[in-house]
């Protein structure tokens, strides 16, 4: 049974077709990158799986059950969601923000997630007193702390420095290796190719490719969807984090 599934999903946002018959499956233990240009439907697909928008037709399922039929509490128990927006309305303590969405008694998990994202030393600071990058790490830690079977992350590396981007992707990959189903939207094709088990390319609301990175990002797809040319070089430089 798939943890995350869209089947013939169609959705309209602002009068525009955002998803046009999308089929997407993410199983336990998979890290799948959702890639495509701006307006391709990436955020819409993730929000549909999170139950935040209604589909015009088709199905969105979590653990084999339709999202529309799940209560907010059941949805929260099945999927952790990291939104693209990083605004926090109130200047809450970092530790309290990271605990949002986690069940009672999750203090150890929350502390561990903050440590993973290297912001545990900020636990008593106000979240709106942090830099944008620090606040992003706190919100990512909040998603990592939730004991859900699946994790949805919408552009989690946006605005982070290279060290932070690699840290985020490393932690998402670790969640997948631990058995979580992870779907992440990315604009950075290098990160997608490096970390994802599969890449799903969306274009004009439709799936253009769904395969392992090398098979998904073909010359044809790169040219038609992204308007770029790229060479796959097996010994190309790889940037690794210096800090543990």
């Amino acid at each position: 049974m798939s943890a995350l599934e869209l089947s013939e999903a169609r959705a309209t946002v602002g009068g525009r077709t955002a998803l046009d018959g999308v089929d997407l499956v993410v199983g336990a233990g998979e890290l799948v990158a959702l890639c495509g240009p701006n307006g391709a439907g990436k955020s819409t697909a993730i929000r549909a799986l999170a139950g935040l928008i209604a589909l015009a037709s088709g199905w969105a399922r979590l653990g084999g059950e339709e999202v529309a039929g799940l209560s907010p509490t059941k949805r929260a128990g099945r999927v952790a969601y990291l939104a693209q927006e990083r605004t926090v309305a109130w200047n809450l303590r970092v530790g309290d923000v990271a605990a949002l969405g986690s069940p009672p008694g999750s203090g150890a998990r929350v502390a561990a997630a903050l440590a993973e994202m290297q912001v545990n030393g900020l636990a008593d600071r106000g979240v709106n007193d942090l830099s944008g990058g620090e606040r992003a790490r706190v919100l990512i830690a909040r998603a990592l702390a939730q004991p859900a079977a699946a994790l949805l992350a919408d552009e989690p590396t946006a605005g982070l420095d290279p060290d932070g981007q690699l840290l985020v992707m490393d932690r998402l990959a670790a969640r997948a290796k631990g058995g979580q189903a992870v779907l992440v939207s990315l604009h950075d094709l290098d990160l997608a190719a490096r970390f994802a088990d599969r890449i799903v390319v969306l274009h004009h609301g439709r799936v253009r490719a769904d395969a392992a990175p090398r098979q998904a990002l073909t010359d044809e797809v790169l040219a038609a969807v992204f308007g770029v040319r790229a060479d796959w070089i097996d010994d190309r430089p790889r940037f690794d984090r210096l800090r543990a």
Side-chain angles (χ1 to χ4, degrees):
M1 181 184 297
S2 61
L4 298 167
E5 181 182 3
L6 290 175
S7 179
E8 285 295 314
R10 289 179 169 79
T12 302
V13 177
R16 179 182 64 85
T17 298
L19 298 178
D20 188 8
V22 169
D23 292 318
L24 170 65
V25 174
V26 184
E30 276 194 301
L31 171 56
V32 175
L34 196 57
C35 298
N38 291 329
K42 302 184 300 297
S43 294
T44 302
I46 286 178
R47 287 172 60 81
L49 285 165
L52 298 176
I53 64 169
L55 294 175
S57 63
W59 299 271
R61 299 185 179 97
L62 297 176
E65 293 191 63
E66 290 191 39
V67 173
L70 297 173
S71 69
T73 301
K74 285 187 176 181
R75 286 203 310 270
R78 295 191 184 192
V79 65
Y81 169 63
L82 175 67
Q84 189 176 139
E85 298 77 18
R86 294 170 180 170
T87 301
V88 180
W90 295 281
N91 196 24
L92 302 173
R93 286 178 61 255
V94 162
D96 294 332
V97 171
L100 293 172
S102 291
S106 299
R109 289 181 61 92
V110 172
L114 287 170
E116 281 188 84
M117 293 310 301
Q118 300 179 359
V119 286
N120 48 313
L122 306 176
D124 292 323
R125 296 265 305 273
V127 70
N128 287 332
D129 294 332
L130 307 181
S131 70
E134 290 171 332
R135 185 162 56 251
R137 290 189 184 214
V138 171
L139 295 176
I140 293 164
R142 179 186 61 79
L144 294 178
Q146 296 176 40
L151 192 158
L152 300 167
D154 195 358
E155 292 291 344
T157 62
L160 294 178
D161 58 27
D163 173 74
Q165 292 178 351
L166 291 171
L167 174 62
V168 169
M169 294 307 300
D170 180 72
R171 293 298 83 210
L172 293 179
R175 289 301 188 277
K177 288 178 182 177
Q180 240 182 347
V182 181
L183 179 63
V184 53
S185 68
L186 292 170
H187 277 293
D188 191 316
L189 299 181
D190 283 337
L191 287 177
R194 177 171 177 176
F195 287 94
D197 298 303
R198 283 189 294 123
I199 294 178
V200 176
V201 178
L202 287 182
H203 193 213
H204 299 311
R206 297 181 178 181
V207 174
R208 181 62 185 262
D210 181 351
R214 188 76 179 248
Q215 286 69 50
L217 299 179
T218 63
D219 291 344
E220 179 187 4
V221 169
L222 288 171
V225 176
F226 301 98
V228 300
R229 184 185 66 81
D231 295 319
W232 286 83
I233 303 173
D234 292 336
D235 61 348
R236 69 185 186 275
R238 290 173 64 91
F239 296 93
D240 291 298
R241 302 185 64 249
L242 295 175
R243 288 173 282 182

